[in-house]
Amino acid sequence: MKKGEKELFLKLCSFKGTDLKPEDLKNATANVLGMLFFNRMHGVAYGVLKEHGILGKVNREFRNPICGAWEQNKEKNESFFACVDRVNALLSSCGAPYAMLKGAYLCGIYPEGYRTSNDIDILAHPKDVTKIGEALLDDGFLQGNIRNGEFVPATRREIIESKMTRGETVPYIKEVNLPQMRFLEVDINFSLDYKNSITDVLSVMLEHTADVDLGKYRIRTLNKEDFFIHLCAHLYKEATTLPWVEMGRDMSLYKYCDIYLLLSEMTDKKTEEMLARAKVYGMEKICAFAILQTLSLFGTKNSVAKGLCEKITADEPEILHKVISPKEKKEYEYKDHDVAKRFFCDNRTALLKERNKNNDKET
C-alpha cells in the first residue's frame, strides 16, 4: 500500500477522534477497501465517513460495499444479541460461575453496526466446564466445528485433546437459522493461558463478575478492569504466537480497535487502577504490550497509559517485538521494530529472526 492509502485506512478506523478530510478520499482505493474488510473494520469506516458528512463524496464502488456490509452487521447483531440473551439466561440457571467475554460485551458498546462477533466466548473454572457443557447440550447444542458451511461433529479424541492442550473446549454449536446467522457457536475457556503471579487468577476474576445491562440484552461478564486485562492477554497470545503470524491473523485490526475503544474511555485514575490490578496478576507487561502496540496504530489522548506502559517495559523493550514458536520451543524477534510498518507488511513471517542468548542468530 502507498503512504496515502495507509494513512486513510488508519483514519477510517480511528472513530474516537480522527482528522479525516475530504481530500483524503483520493486514496480510497481497492487496496484500502480490501484492508477494511480483511480486518473487519468496514462497519467502522462507514460510520466515520457518515459522521464526517462525506460518505457521498467517496467513490461509489468503495461506498456501496461498506454501506451494504454495515446493514448486514446490524442485522447479524440483532440475531447475535438474541442468542447472547438466551445463552446468558441458560447459564444463569445452571449454578456455575461464568463470564461472557469479548464480543458478547463489545458488540453492545460500539456504535451500531461497527462490530460483529462470530461466537460467544465463556470463561469458567475447570471444575465447572462439565456442568456448563451439559446445560448447553440439554438445550440442543452439539460439539463440533463448522466446515464449508456445514456442521461436523467432533470425535471423542478431539474433545479430549482440546481440553488437554488448548485450555478450551471444542465449540458447542447449535443451528439457529437466524438472519445472517445460521449457526451459533459457544466456546468455553477454562484457562487464561499465561503465567500468573498468584495461584488462581481465573478464580479471582470469576469472583468479581457483574451483570451488565446492554440495552437490548443482559450479560454476566468480568468487571471492567479484568475484562480489559483479559482482552489484552487474548491479543498478546495471538500476536506473539508463530502459527497465528503464519496464518496472517496475528494483527487483525479489530482486536486492536477493541483496546483502542476501551482505552479511549478510560480516565487517568482508572488506567492506573487497571495496571495496578494487572501487576497483582503478574500481567502488567502483557497489558503494556497490547496498549503500546495499539497506540502505535491508533494513537490516543491517554498519555498516562503510554507513560506507565513505557516504564513497565523499560527493562524488557523487546517484549513488543518477540514471537514464540511453542512447537519448536524457539523465540523470534521482528527485525524492524516499527509496529505500524509491520502491520502493513504482507508477510510478517519474513520479518522474523531467531533469538538466541546473544540475540544475533538470523533465520
Side-chain angles (χ1 to χ4, degrees):
M1 293 179 74
K2 297 177 181 177
K3 182 174 182 290
E5 292 174 321
K6 294 175 183 178
E7 290 175 350
L8 175 62
F9 171 78
L10 290 175
K11 285 182 179 182
L12 289 174
C13 297
S14 302
F15 70 98
K16 296 297 289 185
T18 182
D19 59 347
L20 182 66
K21 300 178 179 64
E23 53 264 33
D24 293 325
L25 299 183
K26 66 179 182 294
N27 294 303
T29 64
N31 288 333
V32 176
L33 183 64
M35 281 290 283
L36 289 170
F37 276 89
F38 189 79
N39 286 276
R40 290 171 57 180
M41 297 297 294
H42 47 278
V44 173
Y46 168 85
V48 169
L49 288 167
K50 187 175 180 181
E51 286 295 317
H52 281 73
I54 55 176
L55 185 61
K57 295 182 182 298
V58 73
N59 184 293
R60 182 185 66 178
E61 305 309 324
F62 190 103
R63 178 178 67 249
N64 287 350
I66 62 172
C67 288
W70 180 76
E71 291 288 349
Q72 288 182 336
N73 282 0
K74 288 200 303 175
E75 187 175 36
K76 181 175 182 178
N77 275 345
E78 289 294 326
S79 298
F80 181 69
F81 295 157
C83 290
V84 170
D85 203 36
R86 165 75 186 234
V87 172
N88 189 65
L90 178 70
L91 298 186
S92 295
S93 62
C94 81
Y98 70 93
M100 289 187 167
L101 306 171
K102 298 188 294 182
Y105 173 74
L106 292 164
C107 287
I109 65 170
Y110 269 93
E112 187 177 37
Y114 277 32
R115 194 194 195 281
T116 61
S117 182
N118 296 317
D119 52 31
I120 299 174
D121 288 283
I122 305 294
L123 183 66
H125 197 280
K127 66 181 177 59
D128 295 317
V129 169
T130 298
K131 183 184 291 187
I132 291 174
E134 287 176 349
L136 292 169
L137 293 173
D138 289 344
D139 195 58
F141 284 82
L142 298 171
Q143 284 189 273
N145 293 280
I146 303 300
R147 298 196 176 108
N148 297 318
E150 298 297 330
F151 174 74
V152 179
T155 64
R156 179 171 176 77
R157 179 178 178 180
E158 288 173 332
I159 292 172
I160 294 172
E161 285 183 350
S162 184
K163 283 187 175 181
M164 295 292 292
T165 63
R166 297 179 60 191
E168 62 183 24
T169 62
V170 170
Y172 288 80
I173 295 173
K174 183 177 181 179
E175 189 166 2
V176 292
N177 290 312
L178 293 171
Q180 304 295 331
M181 183 179 288
R182 180 183 172 189
F183 295 100
L184 171 63
E185 178 179 322
V186 176
D187 297 321
I188 306 176
N189 301 269
F190 52 89
S191 170
L192 298 178
D193 209 29
Y194 33 72
K195 295 179 181 179
N196 300 299
S197 59
I198 58 179
T199 56
D200 198 348
V201 172
L202 188 150
S203 293
V204 174
M205 287 185 170
L206 289 173
E207 287 173 2
H208 295 87
T209 58
D211 290 323
V212 179
D213 190 344
L214 294 169
K216 296 182 179 180
Y217 64 108
R218 187 175 180 82
I219 67 168
R220 183 172 301 164
T221 188
L222 301 175
N223 69 33
K224 288 187 176 182
E225 291 173 353
D226 288 347
F227 187 93
F228 185 85
I229 292 168
H230 181 274
L231 201 62
C232 288
H234 184 76
L235 184 151
Y236 174 83
K237 179 183 71 173
E238 295 183 352
T240 62
T241 307
L242 185 61
W244 286 87
V245 179
E246 292 172 335
M247 290 187 292
R249 296 176 60 192
D250 54 314
M251 293 187 76
S252 298
L253 196 68
Y254 78 94
K255 300 170 188 174
Y256 288 91
C257 192
D258 294 340
I259 304 293
Y260 162 69
L261 168 62
L262 298 179
L263 195 62
S264 296
E265 298 178 347
M266 207 176 288
T267 65
D268 291 351
K269 182 180 179 181
K270 290 297 182 183
T271 301
E272 293 170 354
E273 290 174 351
M274 178 275 298
L275 288 170
R277 191 169 179 86
K279 184 175 182 179
V280 172
Y281 292 157
M283 295 165 57
E284 68 272 28
K285 287 187 178 180
I286 286 173
C287 289
F289 170 96
I291 290 170
L292 291 174
Q293 287 212 347
T294 298
L295 297 182
S296 296
L297 296 169
F298 285 95
T300 181
K301 294 179 181 179
N302 195 330
S303 58
V304 169
K306 186 174 187 295
L308 289 174
C309 290
E310 286 176 343
K311 287 181 181 179
I312 289 169
T313 58
D315 65 336
E316 191 184 356
E318 67 274 13
I319 191 175
L320 296 174
H321 315 293
K322 286 196 301 185
V323 171
I324 298 168
S325 173
K327 184 177 181 180
E328 300 174 305
K329 293 181 170 52
K330 291 181 179 179
E331 281 191 1
Y332 295 87
E333 183 174 345
Y334 284 105
K335 302 171 188 176
D336 193 324
H337 286 189
D338 187 325
V339 175
K341 183 177 178 181
R342 182 189 311 163
F343 170 78
F344 286 105
C345 179
D346 292 330
N347 180 14
R348 284 186 286 275
T349 307
L351 301 179
L352 294 170
K353 62 180 180 180
E354 186 179 334
R355 288 172 56 89
N356 61 11
K357 291 182 179 179
N358 298 316
N359 196 28
D360 58 3
K361 183 179 177 182
E362 300 267 340
T363 54

